[in-house]
Amino acid sequence: MTLSFFDQFMSPTYLGIPLIALALSLPWILYPKPTTRWLNNRLITLQGWFINRFTQQIFQPLSLGGHKWAALLASLMLFLITLNMLGLLPYTFTPTTQLSLNMAFAVPLWLATVIIGMRNQPTHALGHLLPEGTPTLLIPVLIIIETISLFIRPLALGVRLTANLTAGHLLIQLIATAAFVLLPLMPTVAILTAVLLFLLTLLEVAVAMIQAYVFVLLLSLYLQENV
């Protein structure tokens, strides 16, 4: 019974072919494409308003050099939100519960920000490894600590997204199983458990959106340090 709770995190296969590629391509099919008409429908207008507000919120503190990342980070934000939300539907697979996928997003983008900082302003980028006014005896220790914290950043990005989504899915399945088992034994407790399950689902919808936003926000902060 315990092992079956983790079956939802296994990549689905059909005839030995992993279907994670289908799950990753589904979000791009759902979003409407811009048209050449003068007036757009309500859905495209709402989508454009959301993207504009998001880019203003994220890139307002950045310099003009960082605005080149607007299309990439806005697309990543929409992609992660859609994957997280689709994973809350019954009998669906959530690709963002896989640490390998999240690390594949985090490591290249973090490495790109570091390379940009080293290329454009190497003195400033290396200055983050040693705070100003550090005592001479602490210089080697602080350099090692700051270097380790620098390389932990992509790991923290991937693990944060994976852990939050995995914990939420496990809680939903545990409470749903408890409500199903308690229904013939204690109907009142089962109804209260179902109400708790509904509230937890609403919370997971918020977590799915917030975690996607935090992932992109932290990437923009790393970019701000190096641009």
Side-chain angles (χ1 to χ4, degrees), residues 51-73:
I51 293 175
N52 289 335
R53 293 295 299 172
F54 168 73
T55 51
Q56 289 177 8
Q57 182 75 20
I58 290 292
F59 291 95
Q60 189 173 6
L62 294 179
S63 61
L64 291 178
H67 292 180
K68 300 175 183 178
W69 288 58
L72 175 62
L73 294 186

Side-chain angles (χ1 to χ4, degrees), residues 9-224:
F9 304 117
M10 296 174 59
S11 178
T13 58
Y14 182 72
L15 298 177
I17 302 173
L19 299 181
I20 189 171
L22 179 62
L24 291 175
S25 61
L26 185 60
W28 305 116
I29 302 174
L30 297 178
Y31 284 104
K33 306 296 186 296
T35 63
T36 56
R37 298 177 181 177
W38 287 5
L39 295 177
N40 294 323
N41 58 29
R42 292 183 179 88
L43 185 58
I44 294 181
T45 303
L46 182 63
Q47 177 181 319
W49 176 85
F50 173 77
I51 293 175
N52 289 335
R53 293 295 299 172
F54 168 73
T55 51
Q56 289 177 8
Q57 182 75 20
I58 290 292
F59 291 95
Q60 189 173 6
L62 294 179
S63 61
L64 291 178
H67 292 180
K68 300 175 183 178
W69 288 58
L72 175 62
L73 294 186
S75 302
L76 181 62
M77 171 77 171
L78 287 175
F79 186 62
L80 291 178
I81 284 182
T82 310
L83 287 179
N84 296 347
M85 297 290 287
L86 289 176
L88 293 174
L89 297 175
Y91 303 104
T92 56
F93 171 67
T94 313
T96 44
T97 56
Q98 306 296 310
L99 182 60
S100 57
L101 178 69
N102 296 331
M103 293 300 293
F105 285 138
V107 173
L109 294 174
W110 164 82
L111 188 60
T113 61
V114 174
I115 292 175
I116 287 175
M118 291 293 184
R119 186 186 64 179
N120 294 340
Q121 40 188 3
T123 304
H124 181 71
L126 293 175
H128 289 296
L129 301 179
L130 186 63
E132 187 177 357
T134 305
T136 307
L137 294 176
L138 295 179
I139 287 178
V141 179
L142 278 180
I143 290 177
I144 294 174
I145 292 175
E146 292 295 329
T147 304
I148 293 174
S149 66
L150 178 65
F151 283 97
I152 281 178
R153 284 180 174 182
L155 182 62
L157 279 177
V159 170
R160 180 186 295 106
L161 183 58
T162 304
N164 281 281
L165 296 179
T166 302
H169 284 67
L170 281 176
L171 275 176
I172 288 177
Q173 187 168 2
L174 284 170
I175 296 178
T177 305
F180 181 77
V181 172
L182 291 172
L183 186 59
L185 302 176
M186 293 179 286
T188 306
V189 178
I191 292 174
L192 294 177
T193 308
V195 173
L196 178 63
L197 176 63
F198 175 74
L199 297 176
L200 180 62
T201 304
L202 295 181
L203 176 63
E204 282 305 309
V205 170
V207 168
M209 294 186 289
I210 290 171
Q211 288 303 317
Y213 176 76
V214 168
F215 190 92
V216 177
L217 178 64
L218 290 176
L219 281 175
S220 69
L221 293 178
Y222 300 156
L223 181 64
Q224 183 180 355

